Amino acid sequence: EAQVTQNPRYLITVTGKKLTVTCSQNMNHEYMSWYRQDPGLGLRQIYYSMNVEVTDKGDVPEGYKVSRKEKRNFPLILESPSPNQTSLYFCASRRQGAGYTFGSGTRLTVV
Amino acid sequence: GENVEQHPSTLSVQEGDSAVIKCTYSDSASNYFPWYKQELGKGPQLIIDIRSNVGEKKDQRIAVTLNKTAKHFSLHITETQPEDSAVYFCAATSGGGADGLTFGKGTHLIIQP
């Protein structure tokens, strides 16, 4: 089944403790992206990648890092999480010229 | 950058009636306009999209129209059913070398039985 898989689905962590949210797609898509979803603010892009070793900032990149060492994987790294990064995170992938396929989401709470 | 406005934020319609959600965009270079449906606890799912060289596209009960001159596009759902209840997002992008897909803030569609 063609899908985007992100883990974990739920995560509660403490301020300052580094964490990684993994994302993997099995559709051989070139583009991958991370979004955060907050009430009243909709979906905002954090980072995106157009191919292996090519990443760029989205609208809200502060406090996040990404890497694209393999085409299928695009992990999101929070080096020092803060409470304002409490949110619902989505990974997505697409081929050139098409729309995004989203993962099921990761609900992150930073206390 | 691109700015996408979406209205209304909440829409309640009787089952069987039609629903229309409207979006406007600011960047005249935008050329790809997808619509997503998000059900509770799930990620957004692409339901229909339209490109700037097309004025209208239909897929069974859903259709999207695009007016490039006015920079607005709309989602039309006919003969609404309870399973249409969800949050709908429009988006726009100019593509090119970047990946600037900008989303509207969403419309919560409620289908009343």
Side-chain angles (χ1 to χ4, degrees):
Chain A
E1 180 188 354
Q3 60 185 359
V4 177
T5 303
Q6 50 181 115
N7 283 295
R9 289 293 310 273
Y10 302 92
L11 179 59
I12 301 174
T13 190
V14 296
T15 298
K17 185 177 181 181
K18 181 179 179 179
L19 66 92
T20 299
V21 184
T22 63
C23 175
S24 180
Q25 51 97 1
N26 62 0
M27 297 167 280
N28 201 35
H29 286 168
E30 298 90 359
Y31 289 78
M32 295 188 75
S33 185
W34 277 101
Y35 287 85
R36 61 178 288 174
Q37 185 174 27
D38 301 288
L41 297 177
L43 287 151
R44 294 179 294 167
Q45 191 177 49
I46 303 170
Y47 268 95
Y48 65 92
S49 169
M50 291 188 284
N51 217 321
V52 175
E53 303 291 3
V54 181
T55 63
D56 209 345
K57 297 177 181 178
D59 297 318
V60 288
E62 294 78 20
Y64 304 95
K65 285 176 57 178
V66 292
S67 69
R68 188 92 181 272
K69 293 184 171 56
E70 305 165 284
K71 196 171 187 179
R72 63 182 291 124
N73 296 323
F74 191 45
L76 179 69
I77 303 155
L78 284 72
E79 295 270 4
S80 182
S82 62
N84 65 10
Q85 292 178 298
T86 292
S87 187
L88 179 58
Y89 291 86
F90 289 102
C91 180
S93 74
R94 69 179 180 92
R95 58 178 173 79
Q96 192 165 4
Y100 270 115
T101 298
F102 282 81
S104 298
T106 295
R107 186 166 292 282
L108 172 65
T109 302
V110 183
V111 297
Chain B
E2 175 66 277
N3 182 48
V4 177
E5 299 281 342
Q6 181 173 349
H7 300 280
S9 57
T10 304
L11 178 60
S12 181
V13 301
Q14 289 293 126
E15 182 178 349
D17 288 350
S18 295
V20 181
I21 302 170
K22 299 180 179 181
C23 289
T24 60
Y25 61 98
S26 61
D27 187 350
S28 57
S30 287
N31 55 15
Y32 176 65
F33 308 90
W35 285 88
Y36 289 84
K37 175 183 182 182
Q38 186 177 24
E39 296 175 322
L40 199 61
K42 297 184 179 180
Q45 181 183 10
L46 180 68
I47 55 171
I48 196 168
D49 56 11
I50 192 167
R51 299 186 186 278
S52 59
N53 57 348
V54 176
E56 183 176 4
K57 184 176 179 180
K58 288 185 179 180
D59 183 3
Q60 299 183 334
R61 294 187 297 108
I62 60 173
V64 57
T65 59
L66 171 65
N67 183 326
K68 282 206 70 181
T69 303
K71 290 192 280 189
H72 66 71
F73 55 113
S74 301
L75 178 71
H76 304 253
I77 305 174
T78 59
E79 300 173 9
T80 53
Q81 300 169 2
E83 54 264 36
D84 295 329
S85 293
V87 178
Y88 292 80
F89 292 94
C90 63
T93 182
S94 59
D99 189 52
L101 188 64
T102 302
F103 284 84
K105 288 185 170 43
T107 295
H108 185 194
L109 177 62
I110 302 165
I111 308 301
Q112 303 279 6

